[in-house]
C-alpha cells in the first residue's frame, strides 16, 4: 500500500495553511494565515474563495459539523467551527457566512472538535482551559484548567470522555463530575497533536520529541516510532480505524493501525500542520506550511485468496493475478474504489455509488447494483452471501446481488462496527453491542430477525472480539469470543429457553479465526499458536480437550501479532512489524471433519489409523460421542488410552433399552438433566432415580421417589449405606422425616430392582430396538 501524492505547481494561499476539512468525498475547505477560506472541488480541479476573514483573525483549527447518521447524501455537513488566534471560535456556514462568534479563551483557541452526535463542542486554548459548549455556542462547562497551553483535543468513541494534551502529558477526562481522570506521561517533548478513533478505540499522539505513538484507551503504549528528523506536527486516523497518517516537515507517512509504516512520502510542503481524511477513507488532505494543500490517495492495496492476488493499482483500476498460470485481468470501475473483500471465490468491491460482485471463475461480467450510501465502511463475506456496513445500516446481499435482510437493534451505531465486532456465517449474523459491551446480538441471516427466542448472548465481562463458525448445521452453530481478560469462550448460537453454557477454551488469547472449510479454530495465545481441531469437545468430554489441540511456539511473531485469514489449512499471520507469516497446519483434521459430517465412520477410523496421531483419535472420540456412535467412540478412546471410558461405553452397550442407552450417553457428556428427562418420558422412573443416586444427587433422588411414589425405601437404603461407609450421621431433615419408623430390607429392595430391570427388558424386546448404537436426536 502506498500514497499517490498530488501537489499544485503554485500554492493557492499566500501564507501557511493552518487547517483543512472535507465536506464530501470530493470537496475540501482550507484556511490560511492569509485570512482566506478556499473551497477545493476535486472532480473539476477548481478552487474558489468562500470568504475573506477580517485581518485580525488568524484561523488555527477547523472541524465540520458531523453528518447526521443514516442520511443518504453528505450534504448535511452544512457548517463548521473555526478556532482562531483572537480567543474566539466562529460557527461558519458552508457558504462562508459567519453565523456566530463566541469569546472562548484568553489567548488563541488552539483546537475545536464536535462530538460524534453533534450535540456538543469542545475547545482548548493557550490559557490551558478545556471548555464544553452546546451546538449553538452556549458554554456548558469548563472541564479542566491547566497552567500550560492545551494544543490538541479529541472526543472518546462514546462522546463521554475528552482526551487533551498538557505539555508532555496526555489526560483523559470523563464529562461526569468526580469520575476518575486518567493521566500519563506520553512523550519527552511537548505533545502537539492527538486523535482518538471511534472504531478501534485507539489513541494517536505526536510531539516535539519527533515521535508518534499509538495507545489504547487505558493509556498503555502499543507502538512508539523511531525519532524523526523534525517534530511531528499532525496525526489523523482514517474513519474505519485501519490506517492513520502522520505529517511532519516535508514528510507524509501512511501507517497501519498497529503502528508500522506502509509508505513514506517526501513532498515539498514545509511542515504539514493538519491532516484530514475524506469521509470514505480513500484520500488525505494536508495543510502545508508553504501555502500548499497536499492531496494523497491510498493505492496499491492488496487482497489475497488461494491462488488469486488483487491489487488496487489506480483509484478506479484493479489488477487480478492468478499465480498458478500468471494470467492477469484488469478490472475498470466507473467510480473510485472505496472498499473490497476477496473470499469464498468472490471479489466484492464497493465504489462511491455501486457494488460490484466478481466470481473468481469469471472476471469479465461482474454483477452490479447501486448502493444506498457511498461510504461502505466494512465488507464481510460468508460462503453464501456478504454483508455491507455503511453509515445508514447493515445490509446482507447474496452473490447474485439480491438483497436478503437488514438487521437492526436499539441504539445501533454502524459507524463504529469493524471486523472484530461483527461476524457472519451462512445462517447467522452476530454483532457486539457498543452501548453494553457484555452483550452480543444474534440475528437470522435470511430474515434479519433476532435468533431463537430473541434472547441476547450476555457475558460477565466486556467482549473484545467475536467469531462465528462457518460450517455444519444451523442447530450446531457456535460462536467464539474473547473478553477483556483475554479469555477465549465458546457457546451455542441457538438460544432457546434453557441457559446455554458458555465454556472457556483458553486464556491469554489475542486473536482468533475459524477455518473457512470446516469448524477448526485457531488463535494466538501468549507465546503459542494454538489450533482447536474440534472445539465442540468441551460439550462432550472436557477431559480430552487438551489432546485435541495443536500447539506451536509463537514467540517468533513478536508482540501483538494478528491472524489475517484461515483458508483451508493455511493460516496467515501479520506480525507487529507488518510482515506476513504463513503457517500450514495438518490437512487431516479437516478430512476427518468431512468424513464425520457425512457419517463415514469406518473411513474416519481408517484415517486415524493411517495418521497415527493422538489429536486425531481424541477428535474422533469426541465427534463419535457427539453423534451418538458409541462403537466408533470405543475404538477411539481405546486408542488414546482412556480405559475407564472404554469400560463405561461397554457398560452402556449392555443396557436393556434404547432410552437407557441414550440417557447414559448423555450422562457421559455431562448432560444430567437431559438424561433424566429421557428416562422419565419413557416411564423409567427407577432408572432416573438410580442415576441421581450414582451421582450422589441425594436431594433430587428423594424428590423423584416422593413425586412418583415409588422406591422411597431404595433411596433411603442407599443413603444409609453411603453414610455408614463414611461413618457419618444423617443431618438432612427430609431424609430424617421419611426414614422415621422405616425398616430397610435389602432383600426386598434387590427384588424390586431386578423386577424393574426385567420390566425394562420386556419393554425393549417388544419394541425391538436396533442393534447398533448410532443413535441421533
Amino acid at each position: 500500500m502506498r500514497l499517490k501524492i498530488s501537489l499544485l505547481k503554485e500554492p493557492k494561499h499566500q501564507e501557511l495553511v493552518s487547517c483543512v476539512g472535507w465536506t464530501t468525498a470530493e470537496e475540501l475547505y482550507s484556511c490560511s494565515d492569509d485570512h482566506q477560506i478556499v473551497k477545493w472541488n476535486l472532480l473539476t480541479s477548481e478552487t474558489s474563495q468562500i470568504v475573506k476573514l477580517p485581518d485580525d483573525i488568524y484561523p488555527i483549527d477547523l472541524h465540520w459539523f458531523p453528518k447526521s447518521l443514516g442520511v443518504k447524501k453528505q450534504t448535511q455537513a452544512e457548517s463548521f467551527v473555526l478556532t482562531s488566534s483572537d480567543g474566539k471560535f466562529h460557527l461558519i456556514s458552508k457558504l462562508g457566512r459567519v453565523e456566530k462568534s463566541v469569546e472562548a479563551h484568553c489567548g488563541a483557541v488552539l483546537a475545536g472538535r464536535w462530538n460524534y452526535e453533534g450535540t456538543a463542542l469542545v475547545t482548548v486554548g493557550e490559557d490551558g482551559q478545556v471548555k464544553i459548549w452546546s451546538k449553538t455556542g452556549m458554554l456548558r462547562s469548563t472541564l479542566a484548567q491547566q497552567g500550560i497551553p492545551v494544543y490538541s483535543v479529541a472526543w472518546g468513541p462514546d462522546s463521554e470522555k475528552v482526551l487533551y494534551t498538557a505539555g508532555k502529558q496526555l489526560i483523559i477526562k470523563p464529562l461526569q463530575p468526580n469520575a476518575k481522570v486518567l493521566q500519563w506521561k506520553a512523550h519527552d517533548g511537548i505533545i502537539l497533536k492527538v486523535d482518538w478513533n471511534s472504531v478501534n478505540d485507539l489513541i494517536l499522539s505526536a510531539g516535539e520529541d519527533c515521535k508518534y505513538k499509538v495507545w489504547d484507551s487505558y493509556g498503555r503504549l502499543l507502538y512508539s516510532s523511531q525519532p524523526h528528523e523534525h517534530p511531528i506536527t499532525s496525526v489523523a486516523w482514517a474513519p474505519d480505524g485501519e490506517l492513520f497518517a502522520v505529517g511532519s516537515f516535508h514528510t507524509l507517512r501512511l501507517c497501519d493501525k498497529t503502528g508500522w509504516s506502509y509508505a513514506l512520502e517526501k513532498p515539498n510542503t514545509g511542515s504539514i500542520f493538519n491532516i484530514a481524511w475524506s469521509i470514505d477513507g480513500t484520500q488525505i488532505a494536508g495543510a502545508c506550511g508553504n501555502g500548499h494543500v497536499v492531496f494523497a490517495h491510498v493505492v496499491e492495496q492488496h487482497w489475497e485468496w488461494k491462488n488469486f492476488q488483487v491489487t488496487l493499482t489506480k483509484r478506479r483500476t484493479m489488477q487480478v493475478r492468478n499465480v498458478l498460470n500468471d494470467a492477469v485481468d484488469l478490472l475498470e470501475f466507473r467510480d473510485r474504489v472505496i472498499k473490497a473483500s476477496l473470499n469464498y471465490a468472490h471479489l466484492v468491491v464497493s465504489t462511491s455509488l455501486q457494488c460490484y460482485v466478481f466470481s473468481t471463475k469469471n472476471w469479465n461480467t461482474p454483477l452490479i447494483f447501486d448502493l444506498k450510501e457511498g461510504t461502505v465502511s466494512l465488507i464481510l463475506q460468508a460462503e453464501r452471501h456478504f454483508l455491507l456496513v455503511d453509515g445508514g445500516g447493515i445490509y446482507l446481499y447474496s452473490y447474485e446481488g439480491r438483497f436478503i435482510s437488514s438487521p437492526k437493534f436499539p441504539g445501533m451505531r454502524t459507524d463504529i462496527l469493524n471486523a472484530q465486532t461483527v461476524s457472519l456465517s451462512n445462517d447467522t449474523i452476530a454483532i457486539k453491542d457498543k452501548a453494553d459491551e457484555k452483550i452480543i446480538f444474534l440475528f437470522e441471516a435470511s430474515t434479519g430477525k433476532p435468533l431463537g427466542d430473541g434472547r441476547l448472548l450476555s457475558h460477565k465481562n466486556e467482549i473484545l472480539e467475536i467469531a462465528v463458525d462457518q460450517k455444519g448445521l444451523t442447530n450446531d452453530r457456535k460462536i467464539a469470543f474473547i473478553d477483556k481478560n483475554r479469555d477465549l469462550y465458546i457457546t451455542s448460537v441457538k438460544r432457546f429457553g434453557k441457559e446455554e453454557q458458555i465454556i472457556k477454551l483458553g486464556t491469554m488469547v489475542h486473536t482468533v479465526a475459524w477455518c473457512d472449510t470446516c469448524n477448526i479454530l485457531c488463535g494466538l495465545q501468549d507465546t503459542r499458536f494454538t489450533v482447536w481441531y474440534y472445539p465442540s469437545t468441551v460439550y462432550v468430554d472436557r477431559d480430552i480437550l487438551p489432546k485435541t489441540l495443536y500447539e506451536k511456539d509463537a514467540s517468533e511473531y513478536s508482540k501483538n501479532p494478528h491472524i489475517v485469514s484461515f483458508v483451508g489449512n493455511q493460516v496467515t499471520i501479520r506480525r507487529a512489524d507488518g510482515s506476513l507469516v504463513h503457517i500450514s497446519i495438518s490437512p487431516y483434521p479437516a478430512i476427518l471433519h468431512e468424513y464425520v459430517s457425512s457419517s463415514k465412520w469406518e473411513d474416519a477410523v481408517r484415517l486415524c489409523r493411517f495418521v497415527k496421531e493422538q489429536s486425531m483419535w481424541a477428535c474422533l472420540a469426541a465427534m463419535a460421542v457427539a453423534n451418538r456412535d458409541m462403537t466408533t467412540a470405543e475404538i477411539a478412546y481405546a486408542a488414546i488410552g482412556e480405559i475407564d471410558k472404554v469400560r463405561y461405553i461397554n457398560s452402556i452397550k449392555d443396557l436393556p433399552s434404547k432410552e437407557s442407552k441414550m440417557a447414559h450417553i448423555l450422562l457421559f457428556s455431562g448432560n444430567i438433566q437431559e438424561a433424566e428427562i429421557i428416562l422419565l418420558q419413557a416411564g423409567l422412573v427407577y432408572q432416573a432415580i438410580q442415576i441421581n443416586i450414582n451421582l450422589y444427587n441425594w436431594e433430587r433422588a428423594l424428590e423423584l421417589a416422593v413425586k412418583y411414589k415409588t422406591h422411597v425405601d431404595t433411596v433411603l437404603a442407599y443413603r444409609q449405606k453411603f453414610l455408614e461407609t463414611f461413618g457419618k450421621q444423617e443431618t438432612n431433615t427430609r431424609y430424617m422425616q421419611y426414614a422415621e419408623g422405616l425398616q430397610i430390607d435389602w432383600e426386598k429392595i434387590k427384588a424390586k430392582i431386578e423386577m424393574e430391570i426385567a420390566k425394562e427388558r420386556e419393554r425393549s424386546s417388544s419394541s425391538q430396538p436396533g442393534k447398533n448404537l448410532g443413535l441421533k436426536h
Side-chain angles (χ1 to χ4, degrees):
M1 208 182 294
R2 66 179 185 87
L3 290 172
K4 190 178 176 189
I5 300 277
S6 56
L7 202 61
L8 296 175
K9 282 182 182 171
E10 292 297 321
K12 292 288 179 185
H13 290 282
Q14 272 76 52
E15 301 283 337
L16 72 83
V17 182
S18 56
C19 47
V20 287
W22 298 87
T23 52
T24 68
E26 302 291 0
E27 188 178 78
L28 179 96
Y29 280 49
S30 63
C31 305
S32 162
D33 278 4
D34 63 6
H35 313 291
Q36 293 194 39
I37 299 178
V38 171
K39 178 168 86 173
W40 302 69
N41 186 323
L42 269 68
L43 285 176
T44 58
S45 303
E46 290 173 356
T47 56
S48 55
Q49 183 183 319
I50 293 296
V51 66
K52 189 164 191 314
L53 300 168
D55 285 350
D56 58 338
I57 295 180
Y58 288 88
I60 295 174
D61 193 24
L62 159 162
H63 194 218
W64 281 94
F65 190 79
K67 75 181 187 73
S68 49
L69 300 173
V71 177
K72 285 188 182 176
K73 291 198 168 58
Q74 289 112 0
T75 51
Q76 288 303 305
E78 293 296 347
S79 65
F80 60 92
V81 61
L82 185 75
T83 71
S84 60
S85 58
D86 59 353
K88 293 178 183 174
F89 68 82
H90 313 272
L91 300 178
I92 302 177
S93 78
K94 196 174 178 185
L95 300 171
R97 191 170 73 249
V98 179
E99 306 281 355
K100 193 170 190 181
S101 292
V102 178
E103 288 275 358
H105 292 267
C106 294
V109 185
L110 296 175
R113 283 284 172 271
W114 296 105
N115 70 358
Y116 292 98
E117 294 75 29
T119 54
L121 171 74
V122 61
T123 61
V124 295
E126 276 185 324
D127 56 3
Q129 295 194 337
V130 180
K131 293 185 176 181
I132 308 290
W133 309 80
S134 74
K135 67 176 179 181
T136 54
M138 306 293 288
L139 181 64
R140 282 193 189 157
S141 66
T142 300
L143 194 66
Q145 292 184 330
Q146 303 289 128
I148 47 176
V150 178
Y151 286 102
S152 189
V153 68
W155 286 94
D158 51 7
S159 299
E160 296 291 320
K161 300 187 187 90
V162 170
L163 163 75
Y164 57 92
T165 69
K168 301 173 184 180
Q169 307 271 325
L170 282 180
I171 300 171
I172 296 176
K173 185 154 186 186
L175 297 189
Q176 287 89 6
N178 306 324
K180 191 180 170 196
V181 176
L182 186 64
Q183 180 170 349
W184 71 96
K185 187 190 176 203
H187 287 263
D188 296 326
I190 289 171
I191 301 168
L192 300 174
K193 274 285 194 296
V194 291
D195 197 9
W196 192 347
N197 187 262
S198 64
V199 179
N200 60 30
D201 199 19
L202 298 179
I203 291 166
L204 278 175
S205 64
E208 290 189 348
D209 60 356
C210 306
K211 291 180 181 177
Y212 61 88
K213 297 184 180 184
V214 184
W215 311 84
D216 69 9
S217 56
Y218 300 103
R220 291 181 295 216
L221 181 66
L222 302 180
Y223 181 84
S224 175
S225 74
Q226 293 297 316
H228 286 56
E229 292 174 37
H230 303 281
I232 310 283
T233 45
S234 53
V235 285
W237 280 110
D240 64 3
E242 290 298 313
L243 305 168
F244 64 87
V246 178
S248 180
F249 182 74
H250 286 343
T251 303
L252 187 59
R253 193 183 276 278
L254 179 69
C255 302
D256 184 77
K257 66 181 175 190
T258 52
W260 54 273
S261 188
Y262 276 111
L264 173 66
E265 299 293 334
K266 291 283 190 179
N268 183 21
T269 55
S271 288
I272 297 175
F273 291 111
N274 183 254
I275 291 175
W277 283 85
S278 63
I279 291 160
D280 56 22
T282 60
Q283 53 191 331
I284 305 164
C288 309
N290 60 5
H292 276 291
V293 173
V294 64
F295 292 96
H297 281 96
V298 180
V299 292
E300 288 187 17
Q301 281 166 281
H302 289 279
W303 295 270
E304 287 180 9
W305 181 77
K306 292 192 175 174
N307 51 309
F308 292 99
Q309 189 181 48
V310 177
T311 308
L312 181 69
T313 51
K314 296 178 187 167
R315 296 173 66 186
R316 299 190 179 105
T317 311
M318 280 181 159
Q319 185 191 74
V320 181
R321 183 180 291 278
N322 183 342
V323 296
L324 289 181
N325 56 13
D326 232 13
V328 175
D329 290 272
L330 278 180
L331 313 178
E332 301 276 348
F333 300 94
R334 197 181 70 187
D335 309 291
R336 110 186 142 269
V337 172
I338 291 171
K339 279 270 176 227
S341 175
L342 176 63
N343 218 332
Y344 295 102
H346 287 89
L347 171 68
V348 180
V349 180
S350 77
T351 68
S352 48
L353 295 172
Q354 293 170 313
C355 180
Y356 293 73
V357 183
F358 296 87
S359 165
T360 54
K361 296 184 179 102
N362 178 8
W363 296 105
N364 299 321
T365 50
L367 193 134
I368 307 169
F369 60 89
D370 290 341
L371 291 170
K372 293 182 181 176
E373 190 177 315
T375 53
V376 170
S377 58
L378 179 67
I379 303 174
L380 283 183
Q381 288 178 260
E383 189 182 15
R384 292 186 203 146
H385 41 233
F386 64 94
L387 193 74
L388 297 180
V389 178
D390 65 19
I394 300 162
Y395 310 100
L396 191 70
Y397 291 92
S398 72
Y399 287 115
E400 289 75 49
R402 181 173 53 83
F403 173 72
I404 299 171
S405 67
S406 176
K408 290 181 173 60
F409 55 90
M412 180 167 88
R413 263 184 70 187
T414 54
D415 58 325
I416 54 176
L417 296 177
N418 62 11
Q420 277 74 50
T421 55
V422 188
S423 189
L424 175 71
S425 75
N426 284 338
D427 43 53
T428 308
I429 303 168
I431 304 169
K432 188 188 89 171
D433 189 11
K434 183 66 184 172
D436 181 356
E437 300 206 11
K438 297 175 182 176
I439 284 175
I440 299 172
F441 292 104
L442 298 165
F443 301 96
E444 269 179 30
S446 54
T447 61
K449 292 188 175 131
L451 255 180
D453 54 9
R455 285 170 63 219
L456 308 169
L457 197 162
S458 178
H459 185 53
K460 57 181 186 285
N461 292 321
E462 284 91 355
I463 294 164
L464 299 179
E465 186 174 332
I466 62 174
V468 177
D469 67 10
Q470 297 298 314
K471 288 293 186 179
L473 302 170
T474 312
N475 287 338
D476 298 332
R477 183 73 57 237
K478 299 284 187 288
I479 181 167
F481 60 85
I482 301 170
D483 71 9
K484 74 166 189 183
N485 294 335
R486 292 286 168 196
D487 291 332
L488 173 65
Y489 291 86
I490 189 169
T491 187
S492 184
V493 160
K494 286 273 182 181
R495 309 187 79 69
F496 283 104
K498 66 172 183 148
E499 192 54 46
E500 288 288 345
Q501 277 186 302
I502 297 177
I503 301 178
K504 191 190 283 193
L505 269 184
T507 56
M508 292 306 294
V509 181
H510 304 292
T511 170
V512 290
W514 287 97
C515 178
D516 65 338
T517 53
C518 59
N519 290 338
I520 296 176
L521 181 69
C522 73
L524 286 160
Q525 283 182 277
D526 213 8
T527 57
R528 301 187 311 284
F529 168 70
T530 307
V531 181
W532 289 266
Y533 284 142
Y534 185 55
S536 296
T537 305
V538 290
Y539 290 100
V540 181
D541 184 355
R542 223 178 288 189
D543 300 343
I544 64 166
L545 181 68
K547 293 182 178 178
T548 65
L549 306 182
Y550 165 75
E551 291 187 316
K552 179 180 187 290
D553 179 47
S555 51
E556 61 184 281
Y557 308 140
S558 67
K559 203 171 78 170
N560 297 333
H562 174 72
I563 297 171
V564 178
S565 65
F566 186 1
V567 178
N569 62 333
Q570 283 279 116
V571 181
T572 306
I573 294 171
R574 194 179 286 286
R575 290 172 24 161
D577 62 359
S579 58
L580 289 174
V581 181
H582 300 280
I583 300 175
S584 288
I585 64 164
S586 167
Y588 297 119
I591 300 168
L592 186 66
H593 273 270
E594 201 179 304
Y595 283 153
V596 169
S597 63
S598 46
S599 299
K600 296 179 179 172
W601 295 103
E602 286 177 12
D603 291 345
V605 172
R606 210 174 293 126
L607 177 70
C608 290
R609 283 185 176 137
F610 168 72
V611 178
K612 296 189 186 74
E613 272 183 19
Q614 178 176 282
S615 57
M616 291 284 286
W617 282 116
C619 288
L620 181 60
M623 289 169 174
V625 175
N627 288 278
R628 317 275 182 258
D629 190 312
M630 300 317 276
T631 313
T632 308
E634 188 183 352
I635 297 165
Y637 274 115
I640 56 173
E642 298 275 347
I643 305 306
D644 52 337
K645 287 169 185 170
V646 175
R647 282 185 179 151
Y648 185 62
I649 291 166
N650 266 320
S651 71
I652 295 175
K653 284 183 173 181
D654 297 334
L655 291 168
S657 69
K658 69 173 183 185
E659 289 86 3
S660 277
K661 288 169 181 168
M662 178 63 102
H664 278 80
I665 292 168
L666 288 165
L667 273 179
F668 186 94
S669 304
N671 300 325
I672 300 160
Q673 278 176 307
E674 286 178 49
E676 190 185 281
I677 289 163
I678 282 178
L679 291 171
L680 292 174
Q681 281 174 346
L684 302 171
V685 178
Y686 165 70
Q687 283 79 350
I689 293 168
Q690 187 63 52
I691 63 171
N692 281 296
I693 291 172
N694 292 346
L695 293 165
Y696 305 121
N697 291 345
W698 297 110
E699 292 274 352
R700 182 65 181 155
L702 185 60
E703 190 185 316
L704 287 173
V706 171
K707 183 180 175 184
Y708 289 96
K709 300 188 178 73
T710 179
H711 288 283
V712 176
D713 55 344
T714 310
V715 177
L716 292 168
Y718 276 108
R719 170 77 171 178
Q720 193 181 32
K721 192 177 175 185
F722 167 74
L723 292 170
E724 281 169 8
T725 309
F726 292 98
K728 293 194 173 182
Q729 290 293 314
E730 182 62 80
T731 53
N732 189 311
T733 48
R734 281 201 77 189
Y735 271 92
M736 286 157 78
Q737 179 192 335
Y738 284 101
E740 209 173 300
L742 187 80
Q743 289 295 318
I744 302 295
D745 184 348
W746 273 105
E747 291 301 320
K748 194 175 163 189
I749 287 166
K750 280 175 184 169
K752 276 170 76 177
I753 291 170
E754 279 168 16
M755 209 165 85
E756 289 282 2
I757 293 165
K759 259 200 303 195
E760 188 184 349
R761 280 210 176 92
E762 208 173 294
R763 274 192 60 226
S764 61
S765 60
S766 62
S767 60
Q768 289 183 335
K771 285 180 186 172
N772 74 329
L773 275 160
L775 303 172
K776 302 209 174 181
H777 275 310

